Amino acid sequence: MLDKNGIAKRIAKEVQNGYYVNLGIGIPTLVANFVREDIEVEFQSENGVLGMGPFPFEGKEDADIINAGKQTITTLPGASFFDSATSFSMIRGKHVDLTILGAMEVSENGDIANWKIPDKMVKGMGGAMDLVASAENIIVAMMHTNRAGASKLLRRCSLPLTGVGCVKKIVTNLAVIEVTESGFKLLERAPGVSVEDIKDATEGHLIIDRAIPEMEL
Amino acid sequence: MINKKVANVAIALDGVSDNMTFMLGGFGLSGIPENAIAELVKLNIKGLTCISNNAGVDDFGLGLLLQQKQVKKMISSYVGENDEFERQMLTGELDVELIPQGTLAERCRAAQAGFPAIYTPAGYGTEVAEGKETREFDGKMYVLEHAFKADFAFVKAWKGDAAGNLIFKGTARNFNPNMCGGAKITVAEVEELVPVGDLDPNQIHIPGIFVQRIFQGEIYEKRIEQRTVRQRS
C-alpha cells in the first residue's frame, strides 16, 4: 500500500518532457517533488503564475508571490505572471497538458466530486470546475477509501459534482485505474496489495482483463 | 493626458452608498485593495453585493466588511478561510453565490469588454449550471454566464500614474486587471503613484482608459495567508 508520497511518486511518472502541469492542493502538490530531473516541465498555478519554483528560504517570502493554495512560493527562470482571465484561458483553451487533482468521489463514467459536502463543507470550487471541464488529461490523486472505510470509486457519485465524464486516470494508495467507457479498468496494483484487496475497496464496476502487474516506483 | 488622480481614498470613494454592487480585486489576501476596504469599513455602508474571488479572513480583507455585517451578498469562487463568513452563510444572514474561478474572471472581463454573456464549459452538469441556458458547440456542452453589472470596481496595482495606467506585481495581479473598466467607476489604488511619463508604455498592463480614479494608498500591510518556506541545506 502506498502513502501520500508514494501516490505522488507514481503520478510523477505520468509527467512527460515539455508538459505544462497544473497541480491541485494536497497530494497533487507533492508530485512536483518527484518529477524526473532530466525533463523540462513547467508548473502552472491558476492564480496567475507559470514556472513555479519551490518554497522560498526563510526571510525571502513575498506576499505578492503565492500559489493557488495561498502559500508563498518562488519562480524559476522563464517564469511569467498573468491575470486570472489569461490563466483560465490557458486552462479552458487546453494549453495546460496535465491536470492533477484530489477528489472525494469518482464514478465509473469519470464524474468527479471534490468541492462540496452539503451542510458540512461549503467552501467553494475555486478553479476545479474550470480545470475538469476542459483538461484533456486529468489524473485524480486520492486514497481509495474514505476515513470511514467506504469506497471513493463509485458507480455514481453521491456528492455534488465538480464535472461530468472527465477523469481519465486515478492513482490511489492501492491501484492505478483507467476510466474507460465500460468502467474502472485496473492497470496496476500497489506494492503488497492484491487484486482482491482492490476489488473489495472498489464499489464501481472494476474491469480486470489481464494479469495485473505491481507498480514500479 | 486626462488626469485621474485624486488626493485620497475618501475622494476616491465618493458616491458609494448602501445596496451597491462592488467588484474587488485580489486572490486570497494578495493584491486586495486594502485602502478602499478600510474606507468602506469606515463609511459603514450596508446591503452590499461584493464580487470577489475570496472573502478575506476574519480580521483582514473583506472579512472586515463581514464583521460589520455590511455585506448582503457575496459572489466568490472560494470562501474557506473565514469563520464569520461561514457563520453568516449558515444562518442565512448572508447570501452566497459560488461560481467557478475562471467563470468569475470571465464575467468580469465580459463586463470590461462589452460582451453581455459568454459560454463556458465550466460547471456543465453540476448544480452551478442549474437554471442556466446551455448550448452545444462541436459536440461539447457549454453554460451561458452573464457579464457582471457593478457600480464600482476597486482594484490594487503596484505602480500607476495620473493617467490611470497600471502595472501589477507578481500574483497580486490576479483579478485586478480583469475588473478594470468592468464597473461604472473603476477606482485604482497603487503602492506607488509615479509622475506621468515615468512608466514605459510598453510595460503597462492596464491602460488608463479603464480607470476613472487613481490614488496612492497610505499603507499596505500585505498580509501573508500561508507562510511556507524551505530549509537551507
Side-chain angles (χ1 to χ4, degrees):
Chain A
M1 201 189 301
L2 301 177
D3 60 8
K4 288 179 178 180
N5 276 305
I7 295 172
K9 204 170 172 186
R10 175 60 191 81
I11 292 176
K13 293 180 62 168
E14 306 284 324
V15 179
Q16 293 177 24
N17 188 38
Y19 267 15
Y20 293 102
V21 183
N22 181 289
L23 300 177
I25 294 164
I27 301 172
T29 304
L30 301 172
V31 172
N33 301 332
F34 300 105
V35 173
R36 277 163 47 193
E37 299 210 343
D38 61 335
I39 62 173
E40 295 299 333
V41 173
E42 284 193 27
F43 291 105
Q44 196 248 20
S45 197
E46 63 269 23
N47 59 314
V49 55
L50 194 60
M52 215 184 347
F55 294 144
F57 290 120
E58 192 156 3
K60 297 287 182 189
E61 312 93 301
D62 185 340
D64 292 330
I65 303 179
I66 62 170
N67 64 16
K70 286 119 187 165
Q71 297 171 311
T72 45
I73 53 155
T74 59
T75 54
L76 298 173
S80 56
F81 296 115
F82 34 83
D83 64 77
S84 299
T86 304
S87 182
F88 284 91
S89 298
M90 294 176 188
I91 290 164
R92 258 189 265 96
K94 303 184 195 297
H95 307 286
V96 171
D97 298 288
L98 174 63
T99 291
I100 303 166
L101 74 175
M104 298 172 193
E105 296 177 346
V106 178
S107 72
E108 63 191 31
N109 65 330
D111 295 351
I112 176 171
N114 73 350
W115 76 281
K116 182 179 182 180
I117 303 170
D119 303 323
K120 272 190 188 164
M121 190 200 83
V122 191
K123 294 184 169 185
M125 66 291 284
M129 284 193 182
D130 306 274
L131 282 157
V132 302
S134 304
E136 306 266 89
N137 195 359
I138 299 175
I139 300 178
V140 164
M142 66 177 190
M143 304 308 275
H144 212 98
T145 54
N146 64 23
R147 286 197 189 113
S151 180
K152 294 170 72 172
L153 289 86
L154 307 172
R155 277 189 287 275
R156 287 285 170 270
C157 293
S158 64
L159 294 169
L161 295 180
T162 308
V164 292
C166 51
V167 176
K168 302 288 185 290
K169 199 174 248 188
I170 307 164
V171 179
T172 74
N173 51 327
L174 304 184
V176 178
I177 284 167
E178 187 187 341
V179 180
T180 68
E181 283 184 1
S182 39
F184 294 125
K185 184 177 174 181
L186 183 57
L187 298 182
E188 299 171 21
R189 52 194 175 76
V193 172
S194 71
V195 170
E196 283 305 311
D197 294 334
I198 298 164
K199 268 190 194 169
D200 289 346
T202 308
E203 190 228 72
H205 179 54
L206 190 68
I207 302 160
I208 304 158
D209 59 2
R210 57 189 173 136
I212 305 300
E214 188 172 290
M215 289 176 202
E216 285 175 29
L217 292 166
Chain B
M1 197 274 297
I2 300 168
N3 188 15
K4 311 289 175 71
K5 184 182 166 183
V6 294
N8 56 49
V9 65
I11 299 167
L13 268 64
D14 181 47
V16 299
S17 65
D18 291 348
N19 305 312
M20 279 188 164
T21 297
F22 297 152
M23 290 176 171
L24 297 111
F27 179 92
L29 299 178
S30 188
I32 58 173
E34 293 186 24
N35 290 268
I37 291 170
E39 186 67 15
L40 289 170
V41 169
K42 205 166 114 189
L43 293 170
N44 201 16
I45 51 174
K46 308 274 188 187
L48 304 174
T49 296
C50 293
I51 300 161
S52 168
N53 189 58
N54 311 93
V57 294
D58 279 315
D59 62 344
F60 200 56
L62 280 180
L64 299 170
L65 296 184
L66 290 161
Q67 294 285 358
Q68 289 200 143
K69 300 195 169 65
Q70 292 176 256
V71 184
K72 179 182 68 182
K73 182 177 182 180
M74 279 296 311
I75 302 174
S76 305
S77 88
Y78 190 83
V79 292
E81 334 285 354
N82 192 319
D83 292 338
E84 178 61 16
F85 181 101
E86 196 167 2
R87 194 196 64 73
Q88 290 184 22
M89 180 169 65
L90 293 174
T91 58
E93 289 168 65
L94 183 67
D95 185 11
V96 180
E97 184 182 345
L98 293 170
I99 60 172
Q101 194 177 332
T103 300
L104 179 67
E106 212 57 33
R107 289 177 69 184
C108 292
R109 209 192 70 84
Q112 174 193 63
F115 296 118
I118 52 107
Y119 279 104
T120 176
Y124 177 76
T126 76
E127 64 181 49
V128 163
E130 281 171 18
K132 291 175 185 166
E133 190 180 325
T134 57
R135 184 167 165 181
E136 187 182 324
F137 294 91
D138 297 325
K140 187 174 165 105
M141 293 304 294
Y142 295 81
V143 184
L144 187 73
E145 295 280 5
H146 290 263
F148 286 124
K149 291 186 177 77
D151 296 294
F152 280 82
F154 298 111
V155 303
K156 189 259 169 181
W158 178 34
K159 291 179 181 177
D161 63 20
N165 296 310
L166 303 176
I167 293 178
F168 302 89
K169 179 168 166 264
T171 53
R173 190 182 317 189
N174 56 64
F175 291 85
N176 286 298
N178 307 130
M179 290 176 172
C180 289
K184 288 174 192 157
I185 296 173
T186 297
V187 176
E189 59 178 87
V190 294
E191 287 177 54
E192 203 183 328
L193 194 63
V194 304
V196 169
D198 275 17
L199 299 178
D200 176 355
N202 287 301
Q203 304 296 329
I204 285 166
H205 294 136
I206 283 290
I209 192 169
F210 293 115
V211 174
Q212 278 69 49
R213 302 173 191 171
I214 189 167
F215 69 99
Q216 182 172 303
E218 268 190 23
I219 43 158
Y220 285 98
E221 188 180 334
K222 300 220 272 185
R223 206 184 283 189
I224 291 174
E225 225 165 312
Q226 305 283 340
R227 189 178 297 275
T228 44
V229 295
R230 82 187 122 133
Q231 300 304 314
R232 288 174 198 277
S233 52

